[in-house]
PDB file of all heavy atoms in Angstrom:
ATOM      1  N   ALA A 288      72.018  57.440 189.123  1.00 47.00           N
ATOM      2  CA  ALA A 288      73.134  57.504 188.173  1.00 47.00           C
ATOM      3  C   ALA A 288      73.974  56.236 188.173  1.00 47.00           C
ATOM      4  O   ALA A 288      74.415  55.774 187.117  1.00 47.00           O
ATOM      5  CB  ALA A 288      74.018  58.707 188.506  1.00 47.00           C
ATOM      6  N   MET A 289      74.196  55.675 189.379  1.00 46.00           N
ATOM      7  CA  MET A 289      75.090  54.513 189.516  1.00 46.00           C
ATOM      8  C   MET A 289      74.247  53.260 189.729  1.00 46.00           C
ATOM      9  O   MET A 289      73.859  52.933 190.849  1.00 46.00           O
ATOM     10  CB  MET A 289      76.063  54.749 190.679  1.00 46.00           C
ATOM     11  CG  MET A 289      77.015  55.913 190.415  1.00 46.00           C
ATOM     12  SD  MET A 289      77.952  56.416 191.875  1.00 46.00           S
ATOM     13  CE  MET A 289      76.730  57.383 192.759  1.00 46.00           C
ATOM     14  N   ALA A 290      73.956  52.576 188.634  1.00 42.00           N
ATOM     15  CA  ALA A 290      72.976  51.489 188.668  1.00 42.00           C
ATOM     16  C   ALA A 290      73.393  50.315 189.547  1.00 42.00           C
ATOM     17  O   ALA A 290      72.550  49.532 189.984  1.00 42.00           O
ATOM     18  CB  ALA A 290      72.713  51.004 187.245  1.00 42.00           C
ATOM     19  N   TYR A 291      74.684  50.188 189.815  1.00 46.00           N
ATOM     20  CA  TYR A 291      75.172  49.045 190.582  1.00 46.00           C
ATOM     21  C   TYR A 291      74.974  49.204 192.081  1.00 46.00           C
ATOM     22  O   TYR A 291      75.129  48.248 192.844  1.00 46.00           O
ATOM     23  CB  TYR A 291      76.672  48.843 190.318  1.00 46.00           C
ATOM     24  CG  TYR A 291      77.512  50.034 190.721  1.00 46.00           C
ATOM     25  CD1 TYR A 291      78.013  50.165 192.011  1.00 46.00           C
ATOM     26  CD2 TYR A 291      77.775  51.056 189.804  1.00 46.00           C
ATOM     27  CE1 TYR A 291      78.759  51.262 192.387  1.00 46.00           C
ATOM     28  CE2 TYR A 291      78.524  52.163 190.173  1.00 46.00           C
ATOM     29  CZ  TYR A 291      79.014  52.262 191.460  1.00 46.00           C
ATOM     30  OH  TYR A 291      79.738  53.364 191.826  1.00 46.00           O
ATOM     31  N   LYS A 292      74.629  50.397 192.533  1.00 50.00           N
ATOM     32  CA  LYS A 292      74.662  50.684 193.965  1.00 50.00           C
ATOM     33  C   LYS A 292      73.520  50.011 194.725  1.00 50.00           C
ATOM     34  O   LYS A 292      72.407  49.890 194.239  1.00 50.00           O
ATOM     35  CB  LYS A 292      74.605  52.198 194.214  1.00 50.00           C
ATOM     36  CG  LYS A 292      75.827  52.948 193.700  1.00 50.00           C
ATOM     37  CD  LYS A 292      75.980  54.296 194.366  1.00 50.00           C
ATOM     38  CE  LYS A 292      76.485  54.150 195.783  1.00 50.00           C
ATOM     39  NZ  LYS A 292      76.698  55.468 196.425  1.00 50.00           N
ATOM     40  N   ARG A 293      73.850  49.601 195.958  1.00 75.00           N
ATOM     41  CA  ARG A 293      72.871  49.035 196.886  1.00 75.00           C
ATOM     42  C   ARG A 293      72.965  49.837 198.182  1.00 75.00           C
ATOM     43  O   ARG A 293      73.546  49.384 199.171  1.00 75.00           O
ATOM     44  CB  ARG A 293      73.148  47.551 197.128  1.00 75.00           C
ATOM     45  CG  ARG A 293      72.919  46.682 195.907  1.00 75.00           C
ATOM     46  CD  ARG A 293      73.445  45.271 196.137  1.00 75.00           C
ATOM     47  NE  ARG A 293      72.717  44.567 197.179  1.00 75.00           N
ATOM     48  CZ  ARG A 293      71.695  43.738 196.950  1.00 75.00           C
ATOM     49  NH1 ARG A 293      71.286  43.522 195.699  1.00 75.00           N
ATOM     50  NH2 ARG A 293      71.086  43.122 197.944  1.00 75.00           N
ATOM     51  N   ASN A 294      72.426  51.029 198.144  1.00 85.00           N
ATOM     52  CA  ASN A 294      72.536  51.919 199.297  1.00 85.00           C
ATOM     53  C   ASN A 294      71.664  51.430 200.459  1.00 85.00           C
ATOM     54  O   ASN A 294      70.538  50.988 200.242  1.00 85.00           O
ATOM     55  CB  ASN A 294      72.111  53.337 198.915  1.00 85.00           C
ATOM     56  CG  ASN A 294      73.006  53.930 197.848  1.00 85.00           C
ATOM     57  OD1 ASN A 294      74.176  53.571 197.762  1.00 85.00           O
ATOM     58  ND2 ASN A 294      72.476  54.825 197.040  1.00 85.00           N
ATOM     59  N   PRO A 295      72.151  51.545 201.691  1.00 90.00           N
ATOM     60  CA  PRO A 295      71.352  51.147 202.858  1.00 90.00           C
ATOM     61  C   PRO A 295      70.337  52.225 203.230  1.00 90.00           C
ATOM     62  O   PRO A 295      70.379  52.816 204.316  1.00 90.00           O
ATOM     63  CB  PRO A 295      72.417  50.961 203.945  1.00 90.00           C
ATOM     64  CG  PRO A 295      73.471  51.952 203.594  1.00 90.00           C
ATOM     65  CD  PRO A 295      73.507  51.992 202.080  1.00 90.00           C
ATOM     66  N   MET A 296      69.394  52.487 202.332  1.00 91.00           N
ATOM     67  CA  MET A 296      68.522  53.650 202.491  1.00 91.00           C
ATOM     68  C   MET A 296      67.581  53.538 203.691  1.00 91.00           C
ATOM     69  O   MET A 296      67.235  54.537 204.307  1.00 91.00           O
ATOM     70  CB  MET A 296      67.724  53.899 201.214  1.00 91.00           C
ATOM     71  CG  MET A 296      66.968  52.702 200.636  1.00 91.00           C
ATOM     72  SD  MET A 296      65.363  52.351 201.412  1.00 91.00           S
ATOM     73  CE  MET A 296      64.422  53.776 200.912  1.00 91.00           C
ATOM     74  N   ARG A 297      67.184  52.326 204.045  1.00 95.00           N
ATOM     75  CA  ARG A 297      66.319  52.193 205.212  1.00 95.00           C
ATOM     76  C   ARG A 297      67.080  52.550 206.490  1.00 95.00           C
ATOM     77  O   ARG A 297      66.560  53.266 207.360  1.00 95.00           O
ATOM     78  CB  ARG A 297      65.783  50.765 205.308  1.00 95.00           C
ATOM     79  CG  ARG A 297      64.797  50.379 204.212  1.00 95.00           C
ATOM     80  CD  ARG A 297      64.506  48.883 204.291  1.00 95.00           C
ATOM     81  NE  ARG A 297      63.480  48.445 203.368  1.00 95.00           N
ATOM     82  CZ  ARG A 297      63.687  48.124 202.100  1.00 95.00           C
ATOM     83  NH1 ARG A 297      64.913  48.215 201.596  1.00 95.00           N
ATOM     84  NH2 ARG A 297      62.697  47.721 201.323  1.00 95.00           N
ATOM     85  N   SER A 298      68.288  52.053 206.611  1.00 96.00           N
ATOM     86  CA  SER A 298      69.099  52.381 207.780  1.00 96.00           C
ATOM     87  C   SER A 298      69.432  53.867 207.809  1.00 96.00           C
ATOM     88  O   SER A 298      69.490  54.486 208.886  1.00 96.00           O
ATOM     89  CB  SER A 298      70.384  51.548 207.786  1.00 96.00           C
ATOM     90  OG  SER A 298      70.083  50.167 207.876  1.00 96.00           O
ATOM     91  N   GLU A 299      69.654  54.444 206.649  1.00 96.00           N
ATOM     92  CA  GLU A 299      69.911  55.883 206.588  1.00 96.00           C
ATOM     93  C   GLU A 299      68.676  56.664 207.026  1.00 96.00           C
ATOM     94  O   GLU A 299      68.778  57.688 207.713  1.00 96.00           O
ATOM     95  CB  GLU A 299      70.333  56.271 205.178  1.00 96.00           C
ATOM     96  CG  GLU A 299      71.709  55.745 204.798  1.00 96.00           C
ATOM     97  CD  GLU A 299      72.054  55.980 203.330  1.00 96.00           C
ATOM     98  OE1 GLU A 299      71.211  55.729 202.456  1.00 96.00           O
ATOM     99  OE2 GLU A 299      73.185  56.403 203.066  1.00 96.00           O
ATOM    100  N   ARG A 300      67.510  56.187 206.644  1.00 96.00           N
ATOM    101  CA  ARG A 300      66.270  56.848 207.074  1.00 96.00           C
ATOM    102  C   ARG A 300      66.117  56.761 208.587  1.00 96.00           C
ATOM    103  O   ARG A 300      65.705  57.725 209.232  1.00 96.00           O
ATOM    104  CB  ARG A 300      65.052  56.205 206.398  1.00 96.00           C
ATOM    105  CG  ARG A 300      63.728  56.843 206.809  1.00 96.00           C
ATOM    106  CD  ARG A 300      62.547  56.105 206.204  1.00 96.00           C
ATOM    107  NE  ARG A 300      62.632  56.102 204.765  1.00 96.00           N
ATOM    108  CZ  ARG A 300      61.852  55.342 203.986  1.00 96.00           C
ATOM    109  NH1 ARG A 300      60.984  54.500 204.527  1.00 96.00           N
ATOM    110  NH2 ARG A 300      61.973  55.392 202.672  1.00 96.00           N
ATOM    111  N   ILE A 301      66.433  55.607 209.148  1.00 97.00           N
ATOM    112  CA  ILE A 301      66.367  55.462 210.601  1.00 97.00           C
ATOM    113  C   ILE A 301      67.262  56.492 211.271  1.00 97.00           C
ATOM    114  O   ILE A 301      66.856  57.171 212.224  1.00 97.00           O
ATOM    115  CB  ILE A 301      66.763  54.032 211.020  1.00 97.00           C
ATOM    116  CG1 ILE A 301      65.687  53.029 210.591  1.00 97.00           C
ATOM    117  CG2 ILE A 301      66.995  53.956 212.530  1.00 97.00           C
ATOM    118  CD1 ILE A 301      66.105  51.579 210.745  1.00 97.00           C
ATOM    119  N   CYS A 302      68.490  56.626 210.789  1.00 97.00           N
ATOM    120  CA  CYS A 302      69.418  57.600 211.380  1.00 97.00           C
ATOM    121  C   CYS A 302      68.882  59.022 211.246  1.00 97.00           C
ATOM    122  O   CYS A 302      68.938  59.821 212.193  1.00 97.00           O
ATOM    123  CB  CYS A 302      70.788  57.492 210.709  1.00 97.00           C
ATOM    124  SG  CYS A 302      71.692  55.980 211.123  1.00 97.00           S
ATOM    125  N   SER A 303      68.345  59.326 210.088  1.00 97.00           N
ATOM    126  CA  SER A 303      67.837  60.669 209.835  1.00 97.00           C
ATOM    127  C   SER A 303      66.698  61.015 210.780  1.00 97.00           C
ATOM    128  O   SER A 303      66.689  62.081 211.411  1.00 97.00           O
ATOM    129  CB  SER A 303      67.372  60.763 208.376  1.00 97.00           C
ATOM    130  OG  SER A 303      66.906  62.058 208.074  1.00 97.00           O
ATOM    131  N   LEU A 304      65.736  60.118 210.901  1.00 97.00           N
ATOM    132  CA  LEU A 304      64.591  60.383 211.757  1.00 97.00           C
ATOM    133  C   LEU A 304      64.950  60.271 213.232  1.00 97.00           C
ATOM    134  O   LEU A 304      64.396  60.989 214.074  1.00 97.00           O
ATOM    135  CB  LEU A 304      63.460  59.415 211.412  1.00 97.00           C
ATOM    136  CG  LEU A 304      62.798  59.662 210.048  1.00 97.00           C
ATOM    137  CD1 LEU A 304      61.883  58.512 209.673  1.00 97.00           C
ATOM    138  CD2 LEU A 304      62.016  60.975 210.059  1.00 97.00           C
ATOM    139  N   ALA A 305      65.880  59.375 213.565  1.00 98.00           N
ATOM    140  CA  ALA A 305      66.292  59.239 214.961  1.00 98.00           C
ATOM    141  C   ALA A 305      66.932  60.526 215.467  1.00 98.00           C
ATOM    142  O   ALA A 305      66.770  60.887 216.645  1.00 98.00           O
ATOM    143  CB  ALA A 305      67.248  58.062 215.120  1.00 98.00           C
ATOM    144  N   ARG A 306      67.652  61.224 214.609  1.00 97.00           N
ATOM    145  CA  ARG A 306      68.230  62.509 215.034  1.00 97.00           C
ATOM    146  C   ARG A 306      67.121  63.489 215.409  1.00 97.00           C
ATOM    147  O   ARG A 306      67.216  64.222 216.394  1.00 97.00           O
ATOM    148  CB  ARG A 306      69.108  63.092 213.922  1.00 97.00           C
ATOM    149  CG  ARG A 306      70.397  62.351 213.696  1.00 97.00           C
ATOM    150  CD  ARG A 306      71.423  63.215 212.978  1.00 97.00           C
ATOM    151  NE  ARG A 306      70.963  63.687 211.684  1.00 97.00           N
ATOM    152  CZ  ARG A 306      71.096  63.005 210.540  1.00 97.00           C
ATOM    153  NH1 ARG A 306      71.662  61.807 210.543  1.00 97.00           N
ATOM    154  NH2 ARG A 306      70.672  63.502 209.402  1.00 97.00           N
TER     155      ARG A 306
END
Side-chain angles (χ1 to χ4, degrees):
M289 295 169 281
Y291 61 88
K292 295 200 75 177
R293 293 170 65 95
N294 298 332
M296 51 82 67
R297 292 171 174 85
S298 298
E299 291 173 315
R300 180 185 301 169
I301 290 170
C302 289
S303 182
L304 290 169
R306 289 200 301 273

